[in-house]
Amino acid sequence: MTMKRLATILAVLGGLFLLYIGALFLLAPQASAEGFGLPTWPQHQGEGILAAKGMRDTGFGLVILALLLAGQRKALGLAMAAMAVVPAGDMLIVLNEGGPAATAYGVHGLTAAAVAVTAGLLLRERPAAA
């Protein structure tokens, strides 16, 4: 498998995963909060911030897929490098709030690493010869 194909697969999976997570937070915010690593609130309290997280993830997923479909691989690499700070920040928030370290590192830390690796693969690509 070529590095370009691997980068494409990782980008597609990342975009689709973000759309899935975004939908989960929009459709079932209370149930999704626990998987994020933070405590849930009583029913109907704080759901707005969970929906905002759902929209954030949906938007990031759409940006990834749009740049990939437009053939803007270098722009996608730069965007994903910038986006890597989001799961890294999520990891720090979960740790700071006393959430489970396994979730902080296993979900958010690994996501940050996967996004950064995908960005690196995309940015290392050389333009195809004309």
Side-chain angles (χ1 to χ4, degrees):
M1 178 180 302
T2 66
M3 289 295 172
K4 183 174 183 175
R5 174 169 247 157
L6 177 60
T8 301
I9 290 169
L10 290 172
V12 168
L13 290 175
L16 293 175
F17 180 72
L18 281 166
L19 292 176
Y20 170 73
I21 295 297
L24 283 180
F25 271 87
L26 289 170
L27 298 173
Q30 289 292 333
S32 302
E34 187 176 342
F36 188 80
L38 296 175
T40 58
W41 296 283
Q43 193 66 17
H44 304 298
Q45 291 185 12
E47 287 184 0
I49 194 69
L50 298 175
K53 187 236 184 289
M55 287 307 301
R56 173 192 81 175
D57 289 347
T58 299
F60 284 157
L62 291 172
V63 166
I64 289 170
L65 296 175
L67 288 171
L68 191 59
L69 288 171
Q72 300 297 317
R73 297 179 72 83
K74 183 169 183 163
L76 175 57
L78 292 170
M80 290 189 78
M83 287 179 200
V85 302
V86 174
D90 290 346
M91 178 186 71
L92 295 174
I93 290 167
V94 170
L95 290 171
N96 190 52
E97 293 296 320
T103 301
Y105 296 118
V107 173
H108 305 295
L110 286 177
T111 299
V115 172
V117 165
T118 304
L121 289 172
L122 288 161
L123 292 171
R124 287 178 43 116
E125 290 179 3
R126 299 290 171 232

